[in-house]
Amino acid sequence: MITRHFGIPVTSPGAILRRERDLETPLGQETAEVLRSGGLVSDKIIIGLIEDWLRLHGGHGFVFDGFPRTLPQAENLMSILARLRTALDLVIWLEVSDETVLNRIAGRLQCGECGFTTNSASAQFATRPVCPYCDGPLVRRNDDDLGVLQTRLQEFHTKTEPLASFYKKLSILRRIDGNRDREAVFADVSRLIEDKNAT
């Protein structure tokens, strides 16, 4: 939604790695089992992917979804951005309860072509699971199961939550209640981006 609305490129390490897996590249094969089990791919691999992506796409703004996930990743990102002479302007922290995460993952559908994500409970997609943007198929991800999700939540609480303090100290952290519907959350995210672009 951010790319379509603002023209800012968005990526996530997960999307890059799933593409590598689908293309059956050596990296995709190396990391496929880690993704399937819900574990975190090594910081070294993730940092390399992000640095390559930034060199190709980060010249006019960027948004990362699900990155960084650990303090070493955050510290490495700051070093990469310093080398590229690019600033990190804003970190949006979507505060979502474990219960909300469980409910959303249970019904998550993702476009196999462009990555658009929605929920099977949406009346719009219940009878015709087709992406509204590219007509690709909306399917369940094979790593969306309860065991994987429990592993991810545990990883989040131990390795990702400390990032809130890291970015708060840099005065670039903004918190948004992510338990609400997509439109309300996106309105708040848009407001933060617009305010940052206006300064």
Side-chain angles (χ1 to χ4, degrees):
M1 292 175 81
I2 290 173
T3 299
R4 284 185 284 273
H5 192 78
F6 293 100
I8 304 172
V10 177
T11 195
S12 73
I16 296 171
L17 289 169
R18 283 189 294 276
R19 186 169 59 245
E20 295 289 322
R21 178 200 61 203
D22 293 344
L23 293 172
E24 298 183 351
T25 66
L27 176 60
Q29 293 172 353
E30 177 186 347
T31 58
E33 181 53 38
V34 177
L35 292 176
R36 207 171 8 256
S37 65
L40 294 182
V41 173
S42 74
D43 288 342
K44 181 179 178 183
I45 290 175
I46 296 299
I47 292 298
L49 289 173
I50 291 299
E51 184 163 12
D52 289 346
W53 188 90
L54 276 170
R55 290 183 189 285
L56 290 171
H57 306 286
H60 301 288
F62 55 88
V63 172
F64 293 129
D65 176 11
F67 175 84
R69 288 193 177 183
T70 66
L71 282 171
Q73 287 181 8
E75 291 162 354
N76 275 281
L77 175 61
M78 300 307 285
S79 297
I80 292 167
L81 293 176
R83 286 197 301 273
L84 297 176
R85 296 181 181 162
T86 302
L88 187 61
D89 300 318
L90 178 66
V91 173
I92 299 174
W93 191 272
L94 296 180
E95 297 184 315
V96 184
S97 70
D98 287 2
E99 181 181 357
T100 298
V101 171
L102 286 164
N103 290 336
R104 288 180 179 169
I105 294 297
R108 178 162 65 177
L109 295 173
Q110 189 167 45
C111 176
E113 301 295 327
C114 73
F116 168 76
T117 303
T118 187
N119 196 286
S120 59
S122 170
Q124 180 180 355
F125 304 113
T127 57
R128 186 172 181 263
V130 176
C131 178
Y133 298 102
C134 73
D135 289 328
L138 294 176
V139 296
R140 296 242 331 130
R141 281 175 32 182
N142 59 12
D143 58 348
D144 278 351
D145 68 58
L146 188 58
V148 170
L149 181 55
Q150 295 292 358
T151 300
R152 284 190 190 147
L153 286 172
Q154 185 177 357
E155 293 275 1
F156 172 79
H157 291 307
T158 58
K159 296 182 179 179
T160 305
E161 280 187 336
L163 292 178
S165 297
F166 177 84
Y167 287 118
K168 185 176 180 181
K169 288 176 185 172
L170 297 176
S171 302
I172 56 176
L173 182 76
R174 303 294 179 271
R175 295 176 182 269
I176 290 178
D177 178 3
N179 293 296
R180 300 166 299 152
D181 63 70
R182 178 191 297 251
E183 288 72 25
V185 172
F186 184 67
D188 284 353
V189 170
S190 296
R191 202 170 301 114
L192 286 174
I193 293 173
E194 288 164 359
D195 289 348
K196 184 54 66 176
N197 286 341
T199 59

